[in-house]
Amino acid sequence: HPLNGAARDEEDSMDLVQHYLEDYYNLAKDAKQFAKRKDSSPVVKKIQEMQKFLGLKVTGKLDSDTLQVMHKPRCGVPDIRE
Amino acid sequence: FRTFPGMPKWRKTHLTYRIVNYTLDLPRDAVDSAIEKALKVWEEVTPLTFSRIYEREADIMITFAVRNHGDFFDFDGPGKVLAHAYPPGPGINGDAHFDDDEQWTKDTSGTNLFLVAAHEFGHSLGLEHSKNPEALMYPVYNSSTDLASFRLSQDDVTGIQSLYGPPPA
């Protein structure tokens, strides 16, 4: 079934978050659906690392400030390397 | 500030740069002056000097490209990633790539080429991203930067001088 607007937005957001954490914060790539693991400790840890690096409130959650920064244009060099 | 692992840096103070191709968003002379101004930002606080060459391999090769451009780090269309650059060294190292799917502008109505170039050249010279939101080397593009009064932050100056020292007195 075609996703409705909200569901599609949610999926787009998860896509953005997954790539952001993989590309810039060295989150291990994983074939499992990201939405299902976004509350897992490795992902929460990476969200916290990203929030700390970028000077955001460290919540470990995908709050609006965190998602807003992830949508901003930026440099392609990773923030955290292996 | 942060430097790259192993603190790669240029072992010479005179570096060359080459503008390999141009974006169609701006007149060529506007690209030339934005690049020159972006290098001067670092020149003013270090012993480094830059000269432009028009052929052969320069230390800093500057290219505009879209999507897959041969370095395993594809650009992603308009928005998100604006550019990337490589730390000091031979070959692709030191080079700076700009995503030509962005709308490059002289002011901040689009993506300001001078600001992004100055940030990427920080990488070309050995700086990684800074956690300081006031720093030029902070990873997120700040479209509200006042270009007229732009200066490197102390974090940027301390960082680059940790690699090359201050300019000669």
Side-chain angles (χ1 to χ4, degrees):
Chain A
H1 293 286
L3 294 176
N4 63 35
R8 189 172 53 248
D9 286 348
E10 167 71 9
E11 187 166 309
D12 284 349
S13 259
M14 285 303 106
D15 232 15
L16 170 73
V17 170
Q18 177 180 357
H19 283 103
Y20 205 94
L21 296 177
E22 286 173 354
D23 291 349
Y24 307 121
Y25 289 86
N26 197 33
L27 174 70
K29 293 188 192 301
D30 184 325
K32 234 187 279 134
Q33 195 185 0
F34 183 77
K36 286 186 177 138
R37 63 185 179 110
K38 71 176 176 21
D39 296 314
S40 64
S41 59
V43 172
V44 168
K45 187 169 165 285
K46 285 299 176 184
I47 293 172
Q48 287 171 332
E49 211 172 336
M50 172 244 173
Q51 288 166 334
K52 189 175 173 204
F53 192 99
L54 295 179
L56 300 167
K57 191 178 172 199
V58 179
T59 63
K61 295 187 182 320
L62 295 170
D63 49 56
S64 59
D65 284 347
T66 302
L67 286 173
Q68 192 182 26
V69 166
M70 285 184 167
H71 276 91
K72 284 188 174 178
R74 58 162 288 152
C75 172
V77 174
D79 298 334
I80 301 283
R81 293 177 185 282
E82 275 171 60
Chain B
F1 72 92
R2 296 161 66 228
T3 56
F4 285 96
M7 280 183 81
K9 65 182 221 178
W10 296 99
R11 301 294 168 180
K12 54 190 178 178
T13 57
H14 183 69
L15 301 177
T16 58
Y17 72 97
R18 177 179 160 196
I19 301 175
V20 177
N21 64 349
Y22 283 86
T23 174
L24 298 178
D25 300 348
L26 287 167
R28 286 196 169 207
D29 60 345
V31 172
D32 293 346
S33 64
I35 297 297
E36 195 176 332
K37 190 181 162 197
L39 288 166
K40 196 176 283 304
V41 158
W42 301 107
E43 204 168 54
E44 286 169 352
V45 295
T46 63
L48 297 175
T49 56
F50 300 93
S51 61
R52 183 176 180 182
I53 62 174
Y54 292 84
E55 49 197 27
R56 291 185 296 107
E57 177 82 9
D59 298 312
I60 301 173
M61 299 283 271
I62 296 155
T63 51
F64 291 86
V66 294
R67 305 289 180 179
N68 179 328
H69 53 281
D71 67 354
F72 301 110
F73 293 98
D74 297 353
F75 284 140
D76 54 6
K80 293 188 288 234
V81 176
L82 302 177
H84 54 223
Y86 294 85
I92 196 171
N93 285 303
D95 294 355
H97 302 166
F98 297 85
D99 185 350
D100 213 355
D101 276 329
E102 312 305 336
Q103 185 60 39
W104 296 103
T105 54
K106 278 194 235 181
D107 55 20
T108 50
S109 60
T111 305
N112 180 262
L113 179 58
F114 157 71
L115 268 182
V116 175
H119 171 99
E120 298 307 329
F121 294 152
H123 291 315
S124 302
L125 298 179
L127 286 180
E128 269 216 306
H129 284 150
S130 168
K131 297 180 181 180
N132 182 333
E134 303 306 309
L136 173 65
M137 294 313 293
Y138 187 73
V140 178
Y141 174 73
N142 179 3
S143 58
S144 58
T145 301
D146 180 0
L147 292 174
S149 63
F150 171 83
R151 301 169 52 85
L152 281 179
S153 75
Q154 188 55 54
D155 181 73
D156 300 307
V157 173
T158 309
I160 202 71
Q161 289 185 350
S162 76
L163 292 170
Y164 301 103

